[in-house]
Amino acid sequence: MPLFRKKTPEPELPAVLPEHLAIIMDGNGRWAKKRGLPRRVGHSYGAQTFRTITKHCEKRGIRYLTVYAFSTENWKRPAEEVEAIMNLLRDYLKESLADFQKENIRTHFIGSFEPLADDIRRLMREAEAVTEHKTGMTLNIAINYGGREEIAHAARCLAEDVQAGRLHPETIDEKMLARRMYTAGQPDPDLILRPSGEYRTSNFMLWQSAYAEYIFMDVLWPDFKPADLDAALAEYARRNRRFGGV
Ligand code: IPE
Ligand code: IPE
Ligand code: MG
């Protein structure tokens, strides 16, 4: 045995990083099915991947990370599966509240929260409050999130302002809408990653994705490793973004 084991060299970091990375955490159910396990076990492994990848994104210097955890359409799933996902969320929130001092991450939730259990909503508010002053990465967790619901919500906000006489309809522009999205004040995602081999957005960040780069990967989310993220970042750095210009 060699006296000194050589450390695996860190991959060369790409010159251009996405300032805002968004991930559709997909493939938990298929991962479980392949192993003859209940879907909830896949979600539990997926939750572990989420923890690992969040830390890795921070280490790589990502400023904003958005993860799609539960969509407005996911309520269609069997009650038992929805409950398992909610329990994982509850566990994560309790754990992050206990550990928040160790991390420099600002947690923010995006979505419509009325249908969620009261204790989960309270934990979410607490997690936001205790991390508000953090200066590191901003982590947006999308829960009961739907891109169309978000746009409808922004439209309602504008309508209320018009009705109250605070706003004239002719002055409504893109910036005003953006300020009423759940990501107000944040840059749009530069890169949207979807593992699991599906090639669709599934109602994710419809407004914000106008000029996002997409990377679809074949790996199922519970199998997703920091090296997969590094590969996606390297691919992103090779993209030529033109934003309609030349
Ligand atoms: C993503 O994994 C997690 C959620 C949607 C909550 P899925 O549960 O969609 O896994 P697949 O797509 O069925 O494999
Ligand atoms: C999108 O995945 C939602 C999340 C990952 C939270 P889905 O698994 O719900 O999307 P579809 O049904 O394959 O389009
Ligand atoms: Mg899925």
Side-chain angles (χ1 to χ4, degrees), residues 5-150:
R5 194 190 296 260
K6 257 201 184 158
K7 264 173 94 183
T8 325
E10 283 280 316
E12 220 171 282
L13 296 182
V16 211
L17 269 183
E19 187 184 10
H20 187 166
L21 167 69
I23 306 180
I24 301 173
M25 304 188 291
D26 194 24
N28 296 345
R30 278 163 284 168
W31 183 92
K33 195 173 172 206
K34 255 173 58 182
R35 287 164 177 77
L37 297 166
R39 291 178 60 88
R40 69 181 148 73
V41 180
H43 293 307
S44 167
Y45 275 83
Q48 218 35 62
T49 301
F50 156 67
R51 288 171 173 85
T52 308
I53 295 302
T54 300
K55 288 202 178 76
H56 191 65
C57 285
E58 226 224 335
K59 184 173 159 200
R60 286 287 176 258
I62 302 289
R63 296 300 302 161
Y64 296 86
L65 170 67
T66 300
V67 293
Y68 202 4
F70 193 85
S71 76
T72 46
E73 287 75 44
N74 286 149
W75 299 101
K76 291 179 195 161
R77 297 184 179 204
E80 184 201 87
E81 181 172 345
V82 171
E83 198 185 316
I85 295 169
M86 292 300 159
N87 284 337
L88 286 166
L89 172 62
R90 196 178 268 115
D91 291 348
Y92 167 75
L93 287 166
K94 287 182 183 161
E95 178 193 307
S96 63
L97 278 167
D99 288 352
F100 79 95
Q101 270 150 331
K102 285 190 226 152
E103 314 276 355
N104 192 21
I105 296 176
R106 218 178 79 190
T107 306
H108 179 61
F109 295 92
I110 63 172
S112 144
F113 310 134
E114 290 86 67
L116 303 176
D118 287 344
D119 72 308
I120 291 190
R121 292 172 63 175
R122 187 173 43 76
L123 290 167
M124 285 161 64
R125 278 196 301 273
E126 275 178 48
E128 286 188 335
V130 298
T131 62
E132 205 176 26
H133 62 283
K134 300 278 184 177
T135 55
M137 186 174 80
T138 295
L139 169 65
N140 296 315
I141 305 180
I143 306 275
N144 192 34
Y145 174 88
R148 288 183 168 182
E149 191 285 323
E150 180 181 36

Side-chain angles (χ1 to χ4, degrees), residues 137-182:
M137 186 174 80
T138 295
L139 169 65
N140 296 315
I141 305 180
I143 306 275
N144 192 34
Y145 174 88
R148 288 183 168 182
E149 191 285 323
E150 180 181 36
I151 293 168
H153 170 264
R156 267 194 314 275
C157 293
L158 287 173
E160 279 165 16
D161 287 346
V162 169
Q163 197 175 38
R166 289 188 291 264
L167 190 68
H168 292 288
E170 359 21 291
T171 63
I172 295 173
D173 60 9
E174 292 180 17
K175 281 204 179 94
M176 281 193 194
L177 262 158
R179 278 205 296 274
R180 284 154 180 93
M181 297 291 159
Y182 300 133

